[in-house]
Amino acid sequence: MSTKFIIRPGLSNDWGEIILIYNYYILNSAFNFEYDIYTVQSRLSWFEQFQNETAYQLLVGCNKDNQVVGYAASTPFNQTAGYYTSVNISIYCHPEYINIGLGSKLLQTLMAQSESTNIHRMYAGITMPNNASLQLFKKYGFIQTAYFEEVGYKFNQYWDVVWLGKSR
């Protein structure tokens, strides 16, 4: 499997592939606390936040066949107006494309593109245990800002979440 990826802005014709990747993690992991899978239509408002000229970004990573195999998103950290310079970062890779550099490339690109925005702080919430994600963000200078014990519930158990943050 090639480890060369094309990173580009996510387009509306990528949405179906993004949903498939995210739905995999809804069904098979506690990396998010969603219970119900999405369709493009049910996730439309989430996708639309990237359509205007904002600091919020949706990037996709494509393999050599131009298939979307991962994505990264920066979204509002909180909807309250005073939080507008802080973003939440999410990165999801197709399970066949983990631990081969795609997450790093997505995060590097997302961080570089945020340089031209008003973003001041970036945050990532990681369900524990998830050493791969923890090490990915720490590699790029994110530090632990909070640790919430048993804050999420999925698959009949409670999960801890560590929050990492970084100034742009």
Side-chain angles (χ1 to χ4, degrees), residues 49-156:
Q49 71 186 320
F50 307 108
Q51 299 302 297
N52 300 321
E53 294 294 320
T54 69
Y56 309 123
Q57 302 175 65
L58 176 62
L59 301 176
V60 295
C62 299
N63 64 13
K64 62 182 174 55
D65 298 322
N66 204 34
Q67 177 187 8
V68 173
V69 294
Y71 72 93
S74 61
T75 57
F77 177 75
N78 186 300
Q79 295 296 331
T80 304
Y83 289 106
Y84 76 97
T85 62
S86 296
V87 294
N88 181 50
I89 295 178
S90 299
I91 299 174
Y92 286 91
C93 298
H94 186 283
E96 294 178 12
Y97 288 83
I98 58 173
N99 296 320
I100 58 172
L102 177 57
S104 285
K105 193 158 184 180
L106 284 162
L107 182 55
Q108 286 175 315
T109 306
L110 195 68
M111 290 170 48
Q113 290 186 0
S114 74
E115 293 294 326
S116 63
T117 70
N118 64 350
I119 298 305
H120 174 65
R121 296 281 297 172
M122 297 180 233
Y123 294 96
I126 301 171
T127 304
M128 299 306 294
N130 184 344
N131 195 51
S133 289
L134 196 60
Q135 294 309 311
L136 169 65
F137 283 95
K138 285 184 174 184
K139 176 180 175 181
Y140 292 99
F142 285 74
I143 60 169
Q144 183 174 324
T145 58
Y147 193 97
F148 295 100
E149 293 180 2
E150 297 184 351
V151 68
Y153 188 80
K154 189 171 181 181
F155 302 137
N156 297 315

